């Protein structure tokens, strides 16, 4: 397989150089094109990456409108669950690196149950599982057992309805096993698309650039059609990384007719056992916001995720300009939700509880969502894209957000959150355009008040 089909480094460098100082007219034209919500070419993206800072507020406004038009006001919440910190790789930037001599932890299935119950008691319905790469300790059968255990762990009204997974690049056969276990999205970040940086920062099986780059192709062949891409910002020039990420998205869309389900935009953060004070190519908070806005304009249909690596103030701004999913109340070590703390993968900058995050999202006028409807209704891959690309998915996101958020208010919310939440539900219920969908949502809200759960469109 030729990596150039996904990322052509020479081409990207050429585009960046050619669009080095874009004219006002070029920038205006790209912003106008972005407003049509059909996506952008690599040249267009590069023009925005190279544009003067004075255009940022226009970029943010355009991106914010695209986000609202396609996804509406909902913000989906999830939690990461770190399952095992054992890893055979020695990635320079990661707290789980092999050379870090700190104690490691791999959750037993009983511990997985405990962690799941804690997360359910917070109101979470979606998890993202994280495993280091370890062929013996974190083999595919263990991963599958963990997924099944989570789906089977229900406490009171709590249950996990969608398990997304982040495991090291693996074989088509193993991806098929993940699919059979009922995973939602398979997420794998390239970390850096710049080959030289990739090869110098990695040591171990992950140092194979092609293995990482073509993992999504193998996952697709294994039957997984909701795929998440990402970059760890800070490892290389962010302009190159954004173009490469968009190029990867174009490749998947061209080849399979299904673009990425999500982009993740983590910035490197310090971790125990990592010598760096700063990453090789630091990305400022403002640059991160610009990255989010540009990705939203470049690939409008793709969901975008921000984690608790970022401060609440930055997360808030990011929700307005492109982010559609966020983690809340995260812990980044196996067993982190209970009392047993082990080594963490990285440090976080938002330590608020789910209830506190939800309250701030409400004060921002957005609608928190615990929805997991699409994959349970079979709306994955092409079926999802058929709704997301023309911007129709919000017709489902809004009622589903209202119903799942209502469950949260009934079962987990503090009195103040409940008061604010009921107002937001009222507001967005009245904005459901189709009268019959509005009526049906109202009926289902009453059913939830009467004790029914897990009702979705
Ligand atoms: Fe292991 Fe992943 Fe950390 Fe690399 S980034 S050391 S593969 S857990
Ligand atoms: Fe996500 Fe589909 Fe639910 Fe919208 S309706 S929040 S796209 S699962």
């Amino acid at each position: 397989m030729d990596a150039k089909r996904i990322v052509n480094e020479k081409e990207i460098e050429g585009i960046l150089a050619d669009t080095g100082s874009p004219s006002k007219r070029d920038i205006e034209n790209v912003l106008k094109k972005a407003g049509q919500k059909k996506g952008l070419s690599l040249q267009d993206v590069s023009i925005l990456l190279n544009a003067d800072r004075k255009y940022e507020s226009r970029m943010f406004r355009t991106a914010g409108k695209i986000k609202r038009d396609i996804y509406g006001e909902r913000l989906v919440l999830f939690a990461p669950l770190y399952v095992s910190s054992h890893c055979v790789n020695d990635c320079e930037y990661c707290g789980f690196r092999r050379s870090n001599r700190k104690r490691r932890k791999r959750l037993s299935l009983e511990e997985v149950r405990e962690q799941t119950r804690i997360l359910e008691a917070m109101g979470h319905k979606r998890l993202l599982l994280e495993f280091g790469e370890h062929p013996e300790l974190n083999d595919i059968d263990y991963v599958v057992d963990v997924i099944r255990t989570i789906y089977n762990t229900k406490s009171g009204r709590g249950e996990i309805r969608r398990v997304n997974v982040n495991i090291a690049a693996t074989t088509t056969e193993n991806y098929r096993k993940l699919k059979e276990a009922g995973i939602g999205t398979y997420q794998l970040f390239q970390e850096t698309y710049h080959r030289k940086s990739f090869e110098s920062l990695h040591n171990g099986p992950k140092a194979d650039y092609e293995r990482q780059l073509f993992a999504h192709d193998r996952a697709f062949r294994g039957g997984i059609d909701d795929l998440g891409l990402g970059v760890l910002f800070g490892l290389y020039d962010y302009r190159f990384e954004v173009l490469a990420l968009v190029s990867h998205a174009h490749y998947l869309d061209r080849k399979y007719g299904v673009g990425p389900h999500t982009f993740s935009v983590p910035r490197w953060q310090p971790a125990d056992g990592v010598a760096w004070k700063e990453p090789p190519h630091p990305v400022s908070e403002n640059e991160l916001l610009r990255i989010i806005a540009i990705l939203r304009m470049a690939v409008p249909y793709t969901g975008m995720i921000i984690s608790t690596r970022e401060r609440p103030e930055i997360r808030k701004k990011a929700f307005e300009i492109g982010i559609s999913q966020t983690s809340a109340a995260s812990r980044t070590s196996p067993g982190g939700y209970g009392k047993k703390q082990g080594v963490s993968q990285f440090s976080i900058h938002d330590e608020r509880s789910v209830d506190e995050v939800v309250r701030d999202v409400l004060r921002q006028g957005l609608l928190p969502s615990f929805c997991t409807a699409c994959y349970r209704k079979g709306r994955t891959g092409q079926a999802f894209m058929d709704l997301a690309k023309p911007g129709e998915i919000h017709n489902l996101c809004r009622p589903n957000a209202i119903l799942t958020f209502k469950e949260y208010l009934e079962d987990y919310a503090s009195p103040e959150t409940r008061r604010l939440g009921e107002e937001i539900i009222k507001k967005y219920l009245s904005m459901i355009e189709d009268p019959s969908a509005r009526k049906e949502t109202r009926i289902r809200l009453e059913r939830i008040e009467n004790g029914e759960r897990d009702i979705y469109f």
Side-chain angles (χ1 to χ4, degrees):
M1 295 259 232
D2 184 2
K4 283 202 203 73
R5 289 169 55 205
I6 299 181
V7 182
N8 187 329
E9 292 198 16
K10 277 223 162 59
E11 188 193 357
I12 289 178
E13 277 155 13
I15 292 172
L16 277 171
D18 290 348
T19 54
S21 38
S23 68
K24 182 169 184 253
R25 204 164 129 206
D26 286 343
I27 299 166
E28 304 260 345
N29 282 342
V30 175
L31 285 171
K32 209 163 137 201
K33 183 174 169 192
Q36 291 162 9
K37 295 174 276 187
K38 298 272 183 262
L40 298 176
S41 69
L42 295 188
Q43 278 78 6
D44 298 333
V45 172
S46 190
I47 285 170
L48 296 181
L49 287 165
N50 284 322
D52 190 272
R53 272 197 75 171
K54 69 179 181 209
Y55 293 100
E56 263 172 13
S57 55
R58 292 235 351 245
M59 288 190 214
F60 292 168
R61 272 204 305 280
T62 307
K65 179 164 184 326
I66 295 171
K67 191 226 156 175
R68 286 190 298 281
D69 286 354
I70 295 198
Y71 284 104
E73 62 290 334
R74 59 82 163 163
L75 183 69
V76 172
L77 299 177
F78 71 94
L81 175 58
Y82 282 75
V83 184
S84 171
S85 53
H86 290 276
C87 191
V88 294
N89 289 299
D90 202 38
C91 310
E92 273 198 46
Y93 47 81
C94 176
F96 291 170
R97 61 188 301 197
R98 186 182 67 216
S99 57
N100 184 359
R101 293 288 159 215
K102 290 257 165 74
R103 193 171 61 86
R104 300 308 167 105
K105 176 132 190 79
R106 170 191 188 264
L107 299 181
S108 68
L109 294 182
E110 189 43 47
E111 287 170 321
V112 169
R113 270 180 220 109
E114 272 172 33
Q115 295 282 290
T116 305
R117 283 188 207 109
I118 295 170
L119 286 157
E120 288 172 352
M122 296 179 191
H124 280 299
K125 299 286 186 274
R126 282 182 182 234
L127 299 184
L128 170 63
L129 306 190
E130 306 271 0
F131 300 77
E133 177 170 10
H134 200 294
E136 285 96 47
L137 289 169
N138 307 337
D139 66 320
I140 195 71
D141 295 334
Y142 169 64
V143 174
V144 165
D145 284 347
V146 168
I147 295 168
R148 297 220 162 101
T149 302
I150 292 170
Y151 279 132
N152 289 330
T153 302
K154 304 188 196 263
S155 50
R157 284 180 161 159
E159 60 180 354
I160 298 301
R161 299 171 183 162
R162 178 174 177 132
V163 176
N164 299 330
V165 177
N166 182 341
I167 58 163
T170 185
T171 60
T172 301
E173 193 192 324
N174 284 348
Y175 287 126
R176 195 162 288 123
K177 289 184 183 169
L178 284 186
K179 178 69 186 174
E180 281 159 13
I183 73 159
T185 307
Y186 171 62
Q187 274 194 14
L188 184 74
F189 307 160
Q190 184 64 24
E191 318 291 10
T192 171
Y193 282 93
H194 186 248
R195 184 189 287 268
K196 222 167 130 200
S197 304
F198 185 94
E199 288 171 354
S200 76
L201 291 166
H202 296 101
N203 194 312
K206 188 166 167 181
D208 180 344
Y209 182 85
E210 268 81 12
R211 186 190 81 152
Q212 193 86 353
L213 193 64
F214 286 99
H216 302 87
D217 291 74
R218 295 193 296 281
F220 197 86
R221 285 200 294 279
I224 303 174
D225 52 5
D226 280 352
L227 297 165
L229 304 182
V231 159
L232 180 59
F233 285 102
L235 304 186
Y236 189 62
D237 179 355
Y238 76 85
R239 283 167 271 258
F240 177 95
E241 304 286 23
V242 169
L243 282 171
L245 194 55
V246 173
S247 178
H248 198 169
H250 288 170
Y251 162 84
L252 291 175
D253 200 9
R254 229 176 18 245
K255 184 154 183 199
Y256 303 107
V258 180
H261 193 70
T262 52
F263 285 140
S264 297
V265 291
R267 277 191 315 159
W268 179 82
Q269 297 292 352
D272 257 3
V274 176
W276 298 356
K277 295 271 174 292
E278 288 249 291
H281 296 266
V283 171
S284 69
E285 289 180 334
N286 199 68
E287 285 166 339
L288 176 69
L289 292 173
R290 184 192 278 225
I291 290 168
I292 291 168
I294 292 175
L295 287 172
R296 175 50 63 232
M297 291 185 268
V299 193
Y301 58 82
T302 290
M304 217 185 318
I305 302 173
I306 198 165
S307 74
T308 55
R309 288 169 185 258
E310 302 301 336
R311 297 186 298 128
E313 296 75 10
I314 294 299
R315 282 156 56 80
K316 184 175 176 191
K317 181 81 189 156
F319 298 159
E320 272 164 27
I321 62 170
I323 293 295
S324 55
Q325 294 186 32
T326 187
S327 48
S330 308
R331 295 291 172 270
T332 58
S333 62
Y337 294 104
K339 286 183 190 124
K340 296 169 210 147
Q341 292 283 350
V343 60
S344 295
Q345 196 184 28
F346 56 86
S347 56
I348 59 175
H349 288 100
D350 182 349
E351 306 220 351
R352 294 172 299 166
S353 67
V354 176
D355 200 68
E356 287 167 321
V357 171
V358 162
R359 216 176 308 142
D360 274 359
V361 169
L362 292 169
R363 288 192 180 120
Q364 211 179 333
L366 299 175
L367 174 60
S369 174
F370 293 87
C371 175
T372 57
C374 279
Y375 107 103
R376 300 166 80 212
K377 284 275 193 185
R379 289 190 298 259
T380 65
Q382 181 82 52
F384 176 80
M385 292 294 159
D386 288 348
L387 289 165
K389 283 183 178 169
E392 285 166 17
I393 194 72
H394 68 265
N395 293 325
L396 289 162
C397 293
R398 184 176 282 160
N400 280 325
I402 289 172
L403 295 176
T404 54
F405 183 50
K406 177 71 174 173
E407 290 185 348
Y408 177 84
L409 293 183
E410 293 283 315
D411 297 340
Y412 308 101
S414 65
E416 175 62 1
T417 303
R418 192 162 174 166
R419 186 186 65 74
L420 290 168
E422 292 293 355
E423 280 171 24
I424 285 277
I425 286 184
K426 213 159 112 197
K427 172 178 166 186
Y428 288 117
L429 181 64
S430 71
M431 285 167 65
I432 294 178
E433 286 156 30
D434 175 4
S436 64
R438 197 183 322 128
K439 187 173 166 209
E440 184 55 30
T441 306
R442 198 167 274 133
I443 292 168
R444 292 181 186 201
L445 276 171
E446 275 171 29
R447 283 166 57 191
I448 290 171
E449 274 170 14
N450 291 330
E452 260 187 81
R453 290 292 174 270
D454 202 16
I455 316 172
Y456 51 92
F457 293 94

